[in-house]
Amino acid sequence: MLSRSTRSILTRASKVQPAALRMYSSSEGSVGSTRSDGSSDAFTKREKAQEDFYVKQHEKEQLAQLREQLKQQQKKIDNLEEKLDNITK
C-alpha cells in the first residue's frame, strides 16, 4: 500500500499541465535558412560583414590591452634591473 505522502505526490504530478511545445517549419523558404543552390542574399552578406567587423574590433581591443600590460611589465623589469645594478655597485 502507498503511503499518504506518496499518494499526494502522485496526485499532484498527474495534475501538472504539459509544457508548451513550439513547432518551427523547416521549409527551404524560411528566413535564415541556407539555399540549396549555394547563393546568399543581402541579409546574409550584411550579417557576415557585421560579425566580421565585431570580431576585428574585439581583437583590436584585446591587442591594445596586451600592449598596455606589456608596457607595464617592461617598466617593472626596468625598475628591478635598476635596483639590481644599485645593489651590485
Side-chain angles (χ1 to χ4, degrees):
M1 194 96 192
L2 295 174
S3 69
R4 177 176 275 186
S5 62
T6 306
R7 278 185 283 170
S8 66
I9 291 172
L10 292 174
T11 305
R12 277 186 267 142
S14 65
K15 292 180 184 179
V16 174
Q17 296 291 329
L21 180 64
R22 291 186 178 180
M23 301 294 283
Y24 296 101
S25 68
S26 61
S27 66
E28 288 187 33
S30 296
V31 174
S33 65
T34 58
R35 296 184 181 185
S36 59
D37 63 355
S39 65
S40 60
D41 58 1
F43 176 77
T44 305
K45 289 178 183 177
R46 183 173 57 237
E47 186 177 22
K48 175 146 178 39
Q50 288 174 343
E51 289 173 359
D52 291 344
F53 179 76
Y54 172 78
V55 168
K56 287 180 182 179
Q57 288 299 111
H58 185 66
E59 288 174 348
K60 282 182 184 179
E61 291 171 4
Q62 286 181 328
L63 282 172
Q65 289 176 353
L66 287 172
R67 285 186 180 118
E68 184 61 33
Q69 289 176 358
L70 182 62
K71 286 179 185 177
Q72 291 174 359
Q73 289 297 325
Q74 189 62 44
K75 286 180 184 178
K76 288 180 183 179
I77 290 171
D78 292 341
N79 287 339
L80 290 173
E81 285 178 348
E82 185 179 328
K83 286 181 181 180
L84 183 62
D85 288 342
N86 288 338
I87 292 173
T88 56
K89 288 184 179 180

